[in-house]
Amino acid sequence: MAVNETERRAMTRALELAALGPRGVNPQVGAVILSPDGSVLSEGWHHGAGTPHAEVDALSKLAPGAARGATAVVTLEPCNHTGRTGPCALALIEAGVARVVYALDDPGEVSGGGAERLRAAGVSVDSGEQAETAHAIIDGWLTAQHLGRPHVTVKWAQSLDGRAAASDGTSQWITGPVARADVHRRRSLADAIVVGTGTVRADDPSLTARDGETLYAHQPVPVVIGARPTPDDAAIRRHPHPPIFHDTHDLSAVLADLHERGIQSVFVEGGPTVASAFVAAGLADRVLVYLAPVLLGGDRLALTDIGVTSIGGAHRLTIDEWVPLGVDLLAVAHPELDTASTLDTASTLGTASTLGTASTLGTEPQTEPHTDPRTEEGAA
């Protein structure tokens, strides 16, 4: 049975509801219950770990028997296991729901299989409606399920000739105000923001996500990688969240620790060395490159060594979007190869999966001032 226009509109609404939920160990999920004639009976979303799932939240707002013959439109396949709450697939069956439309399959070995259970009970099921949008909402959670680590976005700003700063180290500002505002908005969507100690010591960034002078409601947790100490009076210590410090250059270990802390999405803003290390290790799930219409020349490259010695070894990307931002242009891309196929390789690369392969870590991302040419993070 094909998805109809009423169900499509309901999925759009369910996706809006999903985004209301908190990011955390559980996915953000929204649900809309439609009557047989297509009118909305109830709505729900997942409010956090230990609370009812979206489908059950929506069903709880209905009188007993009111969902009989209804259609449930959900952003994620109804779960099929008992955790802190019971299986949503069973709740829908017991409520008498006749049809379920969902966007994404649940990848969990234990929680997946809800669609099969529904079909076995005689419920009509369709999947894949607006899957791309649903994926974007919970990409961090999906990466965590597939790879056991947070979803990693690596961002940098550069001139058209590939430089992150002028020869004297200055980089304020390569990009314009529209691009910088976009960076802050995207920061606010991440669970954590990652830099190196060279950036912290040279530039003293706040690492907050700001809308003009106002802080966004959600702030990414600041994470600092490197052996050198962060000064007691550093701006990062006044961040709304206590910083997490990692006295290591092992990126796999850093991501494993962040995963254990419940962090599902990481925004890497640590300058050329940090960006290059994540790319070289195959740990960049998404790349954001802000291109400014300026030429700088010199040797302050936006990326340093990423382990490519010949064209055959190039890290090839698929462009998801080209986004005009004032005078600048943003490229949003992801690796051609699935990240899952590179994680095991990255974890065995030794120096390639650590910051120790790079000699510098001091160039600040273009959203914070940088006027200090020091780039000696590697000499911790």
Side-chain angles (χ1 to χ4, degrees):
M1 181 175 176
V3 175
N4 61 43
E5 186 57 34
T6 299
E7 292 166 345
R8 291 192 184 93
R9 288 196 300 270
M11 181 63 77
T12 299
R13 176 57 181 161
L15 292 165
E16 293 172 354
L17 294 168
L20 297 176
R23 288 185 289 268
V25 294
N26 288 353
Q28 296 163 283
V29 182
V32 174
I33 308 295
L34 299 174
S35 70
D37 67 6
S39 60
V40 175
L41 293 175
S42 65
E43 299 178 340
W45 70 90
H46 184 51
H47 294 258
T51 65
H53 290 187
E55 303 93 315
V56 175
D57 184 43
L59 289 171
S60 70
K61 299 169 184 176
L62 297 176
R68 189 157 303 280
T71 295
V73 179
V74 194
T75 59
L76 185 67
E77 178 186 9
C79 68
N80 192 37
H81 79 299
T82 299
R84 295 188 189 180
T85 60
C88 294
L90 180 59
L92 292 169
I93 293 167
E94 291 179 343
V97 168
R99 176 165 165 75
V100 172
V101 176
Y102 69 88
L104 292 173
D105 291 331
D106 188 324
E109 289 186 13
V110 176
S111 58
E116 292 179 16
R117 186 171 190 172
L118 288 163
R119 289 190 180 101
V123 178
S124 168
V125 179
D126 266 306
S127 64
E129 174 61 28
Q130 299 186 49
E132 224 173 272
T133 304
H135 190 286
I137 293 173
I138 59 169
D139 55 6
W141 182 81
L142 289 169
T143 300
Q145 297 304 301
H146 287 300
L147 304 182
R149 64 163 176 81
H151 184 275
V152 177
T153 296
V154 178
K155 167 264 171 184
W156 67 85
Q158 67 173 60
S159 62
L160 284 181
D161 56 346
R163 270 62 180 179
S167 293
D168 65 354
T170 57
S171 60
Q172 183 184 9
W173 303 102
I174 287 180
T175 55
V178 179
R180 297 197 299 274
D182 185 76
V183 171
H184 278 269
R185 182 184 66 80
R186 292 176 187 270
R187 278 186 182 185
S188 74
L189 302 176
D191 294 336
I193 182 169
V194 173
V195 296
T197 55
T199 291
V200 172
R201 294 172 67 90
D203 302 329
D204 195 24
S206 64
L207 297 185
T208 53
R210 303 183 297 277
D211 182 6
E213 297 300 316
T214 305
L215 293 180
Y216 278 100
H218 176 78
Q219 292 292 314
V221 176
V223 178
V224 182
I225 301 175
R228 289 192 289 174
T230 296
D232 291 339
D233 61 351
I236 195 174
R237 294 191 183 276
R238 299 188 294 276
H239 193 282
H241 296 293
I244 298 172
F245 297 99
H246 282 282
D247 184 6
T248 178
H249 289 166
D250 184 342
L251 299 183
S252 295
V254 171
L255 292 177
D257 176 71
L258 297 180
H259 176 62
E260 286 294 316
R261 295 171 185 261
I263 289 173
Q264 295 184 359
S265 58
V266 168
F267 197 82
V268 177
E269 280 225 49
T273 297
V274 175
S276 300
F278 274 93
V279 172
L283 295 174
D285 303 303
R286 180 185 295 121
V287 172
L288 304 177
V289 183
Y290 292 83
L291 298 165
V294 297
L295 301 173
L296 293 174
D299 59 358
R300 298 278 183 161
L301 297 175
L303 285 186
T304 57
D305 182 14
I306 58 171
V308 176
T309 57
S310 67
I311 194 67
H315 292 247
R316 300 196 179 276
L317 305 175
T318 297
I319 297 293
D320 298 310
E321 290 183 89
W322 287 105
V323 184
L325 295 168
V327 299
D328 305 309
L329 187 64
L330 167 62
V332 181
H334 67 271
E336 279 191 358
L337 293 178
D338 187 86
T339 313
S341 66
T342 62
L343 181 65
D344 291 338
T345 302
S347 67
T348 59
L349 284 176
T351 56
S353 63
T354 68
L355 295 177
T357 56
S359 61
T360 63
L361 230 182
T363 303
E364 170 63 6
Q366 308 313 318
T367 56
E368 302 284 354
H370 181 85
T371 56
D372 192 321
R374 293 171 291 174
T375 53
E376 295 299 321
E377 164 62 356

